[in-house]
Amino acid sequence: MTAYALGSFRDIVPAAAGTGPHPDIIAYVERIQATLDPFGGRFLVHGAEVEVMEGTWPGNMVLIGFPGPAEARAWYASPAYQAIVPLRTDHVEGVIILVDGVAPGYDPAELAAKMRAAGAGGAAGS
């Protein structure tokens, strides 16, 4: 089952004089792929413009795919990634979540049936 790292970033601190991103953010972007490679991680969304269809979205989004949950967790905890995290967190507010994908053959109607059987009080994904 695939897994994903989703980042939502806002309030990016610009470089001095407001010209472009801070140099640490550029260094982070330059170095992140090397931290992903050992875990099979690859960018699925990175730097694309967000088109909000419902609600509000407060910033930019990054989506990274991994072969499975173990690889996603190992990447995030890896010394190589943790070494570059401050390059981002010192200059950008945001949230990163790790989430498991659905198994091959997933059918949302099966989840709906379970929810209905539980009195429609079941939470999505449980």
Side-chain angles (χ1 to χ4, degrees):
M1 173 184 336
T2 57
Y4 303 93
L6 176 95
S8 172
F9 304 112
R10 61 194 177 286
D11 299 327
I12 299 171
V13 176
T19 57
H22 192 280
D24 284 354
I25 297 170
I26 295 169
Y28 174 87
V29 172
E30 290 171 336
R31 294 171 60 185
I32 191 170
Q33 188 61 51
T35 73
L36 294 167
D37 289 341
F39 305 98
R42 68 181 189 93
F43 282 95
L44 302 174
V45 175
H46 193 213
E49 189 163 329
V50 175
E51 182 179 359
V52 179
M53 304 305 285
E54 294 182 27
T56 60
W57 189 263
N60 299 319
M61 187 190 68
V62 172
L63 181 63
I64 302 170
F66 292 91
E71 292 88 351
R73 289 178 184 90
W75 161 74
Y76 188 82
S78 72
Y81 183 66
Q82 289 302 307
I84 68 170
V85 166
L87 297 173
R88 175 181 47 78
T89 59
D90 287 351
H91 308 286
V92 179
E93 282 189 41
V95 175
I96 292 182
I97 63 168
L98 300 180
V99 62
D100 296 348
V102 297
Y106 171 77
D107 182 355
E110 291 176 16
L111 175 60
K114 288 178 187 176
M115 293 169 69
R116 187 172 304 283
S126 48

